[in-house]
Amino acid sequence: MTEDRGAAGPYIEYDGLPVLHGSEVKLPLIHPYAPVEAGRYVTPGGGRLTIRKAEKNAAHLRITLDHLGCPAQCTPEKDAAFRRLALAVEGYCVHAGCRHRAAFSDGVLRCFEVRNGAVTLAAFVRAVLAIELGDLIPAGRIIEESEARFGPVRRSEGLDDEGQAEAV
């Protein structure tokens, strides 16, 4: 089925997932237990995952997950879980002396910056994909490991409206 949404369309139904832009149907479907490398993928929950080097900090990877056209992925529970995961990996950055703010935004486009070597890319991506599918256990493991090394992860209430960490 093709759905026309104006200038940004057409959007195409893809393997039972929410509709994708015509240019996205050729993206590979990422499997949670497959090797993970830089690139752009369709996720099992219907999102688009992009993994690349961060523009401003070579010691980080920038991971974006967008759920445009899929409001079911934008629940308060999932937003809170993604936010806690972002704050957990921020602990590694703070410990290493990075001066950037936690890279995260709620809603249909979620952005993360993960320090190279802090958490394996595969573990982080698996945690993101698991949250997308409603499983908080992999993210919980990353949060527990971060808390064991650096102390309690700040609560998500410590973020401003854009999902950025507030100055303490």
Side-chain angles (χ1 to χ4, degrees):
M1 172 184 168
T2 300
E3 188 177 316
D4 190 358
R5 294 190 183 173
Y11 285 80
I12 300 166
E13 201 170 289
Y14 177 76
D15 197 27
L17 298 172
V19 294
L20 298 174
H21 189 273
S23 66
E24 297 171 328
V25 295
K26 292 184 176 110
L27 293 175
L29 183 63
I30 191 167
H31 188 281
Y33 296 104
V36 179
E37 55 189 44
R40 185 156 165 82
Y41 306 90
V42 173
T43 68
R48 273 75 73 205
L49 181 78
T50 305
I51 304 166
R52 60 185 166 82
K53 291 184 179 189
E55 289 122 17
K56 295 182 181 178
N57 195 333
H60 293 75
L61 292 172
R62 183 159 182 90
I63 300 166
T64 58
L65 175 65
D66 70 71
H67 287 108
L68 301 172
C70 187
Q73 290 292 350
C74 302
T75 65
E77 296 80 18
K78 288 184 180 184
D79 284 341
F82 283 121
R83 210 175 298 121
R84 295 252 316 140
L85 180 61
L87 289 170
V89 295
E90 181 196 26
Y92 293 92
C93 293
V94 171
H95 181 72
C98 296
R99 298 285 178 227
H100 68 86
R101 295 161 68 182
F104 180 77
S105 57
D106 280 336
V108 296
L109 178 62
R110 296 178 174 99
C111 301
F112 306 91
E113 282 198 13
V114 179
R115 187 170 179 79
N116 290 329
V119 176
T120 67
L121 178 59
F124 186 83
V125 168
R126 284 184 191 122
V128 167
L129 297 177
I131 291 171
E132 184 185 54
L133 297 174
D135 180 2
L136 305 181
I137 293 171
R141 288 185 191 124
I142 292 173
I143 292 167
E144 287 173 8
E145 184 178 306
S146 177
E147 287 180 332
R149 293 186 71 181
F150 311 115
V153 170
R154 285 182 289 161
R155 291 276 163 212
S156 57
E157 296 83 33
L159 296 179
D160 64 20
D161 292 338
E162 285 77 47
Q164 297 292 325
E166 292 177 350
V168 181

